Amino acid sequence: MQISDLPYPDPGVPDARSGARFLWWLGRGQLGGQARSLAWGLVHFCGIAGLPYVVGLGVEAAVDRDGGRLLLVGGLLLLVGTAIAVGDAMLHRTAVTNWITAAARVQQLLARKTAELGSALTRRVAAGEVVAVSTGDVEKIGWFVEAVSRFLAAAFAVVAICVGLLFYAPAIGVVVAAGVPVLALSVLPLLPRATRRADVQREKAGKATELASDTVAGLRVLRGIGGEELFLDRYREASQEVRRAAVRSARMWALIAAVQVLLPGALMVAVVWYGSVLVLDGRLAVGELVAAFSAVATMLYPLRHFEEIAMSYSFSRPSAQRAARVLSLTRTDGGAGPASAPPPQAPAPGGDLYDPATGLLAPAGRFTAVVCGDPDLAGRLAERLGGHAVHSGDGAGAPPSALLGGVALDGLALDAARGLVLVQDKDPVLLSGTLRELFDVPASGAVPPPAALAAAQCGDVLDALLQAAPDGVDDAMDTRITERGRSLSGGQRQRLALARSLVTDPEVLVLDEPTSAVDAHTEARIADGVATLRAGRTTVVLASSPLLLDRADRVVLVHGGPAVAAGTHRELLRAEPRYRAVVTREPDGERGRIGGPAGNITEELTGIEESA
């Protein structure tokens, strides 16, 4: 895989059982790139390993005044220098390619998992952790993948230098061969503490990121209550904790780096001292001493890669663990299940939608409205109707999946489930781009964008987009929407999102409070437009607006968890006090009373609906 080939056609199925297994899976997926990087690393480091011996040969040739050997040494120096330069350039190129491709693979896996889980992801993993995994953790994982080939080539060079000295100058080579393992293993006692401090730093950084993301998401509310300074002080405190943890971690890595400099320096002094004694005794030639000294000096460079691999693994291991934790999430609590078990067949068209957790039944081809007194319960119900497992947060796990035509939605393949049921959240997101691109979504083709826009009452939205468009744009479909639709009002964003959902024309459409940000007059026309456009198709709307409820074929009241009543809006308004209390926003003191103020509210509300 080359950078020009990215993104991957298929990033594969990761081994997310642990961080180490995930790193191993990434490495196995890049054997070709690692082999190329290792090959160029061997060229580079073998040139470095051969340099001391060539220098030693040159010194001996100069001492012996042998011009022919000096000329040969010059040619060898040219060859070794070329190998070092070319190998270094290509090693850097291939290693960085490994890093980028590994990071891209992880990002694709995370993007695919995010698309699979949808809004359920942030209910099961903190938003700050998702941000940390998709940014900083991806880079750390790529760093380790990049460093592996360099470390292996450096280790080979160190062994080659030691073995070469044993044959070239055995008297001094024994000292070097005995000292190098000590140098390589000297930092091992320090690594556990350094790793623990690095883990603490990353944990505090993740909490700070989570606090920052939560603050940004609620900035408008914070400004409304004057709470910016309070959260700013909290973030300052969190960031200072991160700084202190980073300093403590940096001290350990500085100590490790100091050991990596101090001990090789001590070995070099020992080699020079002992070699000088051997030269004076006539047991070692001057050229051999120079070669031994050059070998130890040269070894400092490959030995630094031992420190790099330790650091990269220390930083990437918890990052890989976090990534594996996100990638191991499934749509259901039971996990992915046996690999050999194929997903069930999609149900035949025309099946009823049923939620076993609440007993909610949405008959096929009907417009069903659902009233929940608890907005959180309504959101979880909408997710469950879309085939997503929704955790209750009390440790009890997720309720049973919703059934469409008797088939569990969470057991179907993701594409099949989403082709059958589309859920629009109460806070839909509009991506930046043209309006035409907004409606370029998988759809049956039965509902054109103009019809969907008309049903969602988007005429004034189109006029506003055209007025703000640059000169030369005369088609509203070519006007641009800014990031997350920030240039539009809440009601305009909501109506465009509704029109986009109508264009897809799924077999089952679930809408969670689709008109909460529009005025009553527009809401009444939207209710008529949706009911007309979705005639004969299964539509479920979670709402408490009388204007929407009165257009529904069937209304179901979900109270305290189960579905407790069903009927038309007017029937429930007259016969069900709990329903009336939610729909009319009846004060607690009036709940359960059929007559009196509640009865007057019912009569007035019925009159308003008839006039609308």
Side-chain angles (χ1 to χ4, degrees), residues 264-525:
L267 177 62
M268 188 179 301
V269 172
V271 166
V272 172
W273 175 80
Y274 182 62
S276 300
V277 173
L278 294 178
V279 170
L280 292 176
D281 291 344
R283 290 184 293 167
L284 187 70
V286 175
E288 293 174 338
L289 174 60
V290 173
F293 172 80
S294 300
V296 175
T298 303
M299 216 182 302
L300 293 176
Y301 172 61
L303 279 175
R304 280 202 291 266
H305 291 82
F306 286 69
E307 177 190 353
E308 182 193 21
I309 196 66
M311 288 185 65
S312 63
Y313 181 72
S314 173
F315 279 88
S316 66
R317 180 183 56 80
S319 296
Q321 184 65 41
R322 281 197 294 266
R325 185 164 58 249
V326 174
L327 294 175
S328 64
L329 297 175
T330 58
R331 293 168 59 205
T332 62
D333 281 345
S340 59
Q345 294 293 325
D352 296 338
L353 181 64
Y354 176 69
D355 177 39
T358 60
L360 168 67
L361 175 67
R366 304 285 297 279
F367 184 175
T368 302
V370 181
V371 176
C372 295
D374 183 0
D376 292 335
L377 175 62
R380 293 195 296 270
L381 176 58
E383 288 289 332
R384 202 161 55 247
L385 292 177
H388 294 288
V390 182
H391 296 258
S392 59
D394 56 3
S401 168
L403 308 176
L404 181 62
V407 179
L409 286 171
D410 62 359
L412 296 174
L414 182 62
D415 291 343
R418 290 194 171 170
L420 293 170
V421 182
L422 174 66
V423 178
Q424 177 178 303
D425 293 334
K426 64 179 65 179
D427 297 314
V429 175
L430 302 181
L431 301 180
S432 60
T434 65
L435 199 59
R436 196 179 307 278
E437 293 170 341
L438 178 68
F439 287 93
D440 186 15
V441 292
S444 67
V447 180
L453 289 166
Q457 301 299 311
C458 294
D460 62 314
V461 183
L462 301 182
D463 294 339
L465 289 173
L466 270 177
Q467 290 178 2
D471 295 339
V473 177
D474 53 3
D475 188 348
M477 297 300 291
D478 294 325
T479 57
R480 297 195 64 82
I481 300 173
T482 56
E483 180 186 2
R484 300 180 67 89
R486 297 186 188 278
S487 60
L488 303 173
S489 68
Q492 290 173 329
R493 288 195 300 269
Q494 201 172 56
R495 283 179 282 163
L496 283 178
L498 175 60
R500 178 180 59 187
S501 299
L502 294 174
V503 163
T504 62
D505 188 38
E507 181 176 338
V508 179
L509 177 61
V510 180
L511 304 172
D512 187 4
E513 293 288 356
T515 59
S516 59
V518 301
D519 60 83
H521 181 66
T522 305
E523 185 178 31
R525 291 189 295 172

Side-chain angles (χ1 to χ4, degrees), residues 27-259:
R28 286 192 293 109
Q30 292 187 273
L31 290 179
Q34 293 288 358
R36 285 190 294 271
S37 185
L38 178 60
W40 285 112
L42 290 176
V43 171
H44 173 61
F45 284 105
C46 283
I48 293 175
L51 187 59
Y53 308 113
V54 176
V55 171
L57 291 174
V59 171
E60 290 180 2
V63 171
D64 296 339
R65 298 181 181 277
D66 189 337
R69 286 166 59 195
L70 278 176
L71 185 61
L72 175 61
V73 168
L76 290 175
L77 281 175
L78 179 62
L79 178 62
V80 168
T82 302
I84 293 174
V86 175
D88 187 27
M90 296 306 297
L91 170 62
H92 179 74
R93 178 185 178 90
T94 53
V96 171
T97 298
N98 290 336
W99 171 59
I100 293 176
T101 52
R105 184 190 291 268
V106 177
Q107 286 178 327
Q108 282 187 248
L109 291 170
L110 291 171
R112 186 174 68 183
K113 181 60 64 175
T114 301
E116 176 187 342
L117 297 177
S119 61
L121 175 62
T122 52
R123 292 195 182 102
R124 301 168 67 178
V125 180
E129 183 169 353
V130 175
V131 173
V133 170
S134 59
T135 54
D137 286 338
V138 167
E139 293 186 4
K140 293 181 178 68
I141 293 170
W143 178 26
F144 175 72
V145 173
E146 173 196 6
V148 167
S149 55
R150 280 204 303 267
F151 164 72
L152 293 176
F156 179 86
V158 170
V159 173
I161 290 174
C162 293
V163 173
L165 272 181
L166 285 174
F167 284 97
Y168 183 74
I172 197 69
V174 173
V175 177
V176 176
V180 166
V182 176
L183 299 182
L185 302 177
S186 61
V187 298
L188 288 183
L190 301 175
L191 285 179
R193 180 176 295 182
T195 301
R196 286 194 298 270
R197 291 190 178 186
D199 290 345
V200 171
Q201 175 197 347
R202 280 186 294 273
E203 180 182 357
K204 292 183 179 297
K207 291 181 178 178
T209 303
E210 182 178 348
L211 178 61
S213 62
D214 290 344
T215 303
V216 171
L219 189 58
R220 180 175 299 179
V221 177
L222 290 176
R223 285 178 174 172
I225 63 175
E228 307 103 307
E229 289 301 323
L230 174 63
F231 275 81
L232 186 58
D233 290 341
R234 290 182 182 177
Y235 183 74
R236 284 197 188 103
E237 182 180 350
S239 63
Q240 288 302 309
E241 289 183 3
V242 174
R243 182 190 62 80
R244 288 190 290 269
V247 170
R248 295 184 71 246
S249 178
R251 285 172 181 165
M252 285 303 304
W253 290 112
L255 178 60
I256 291 174
V259 170

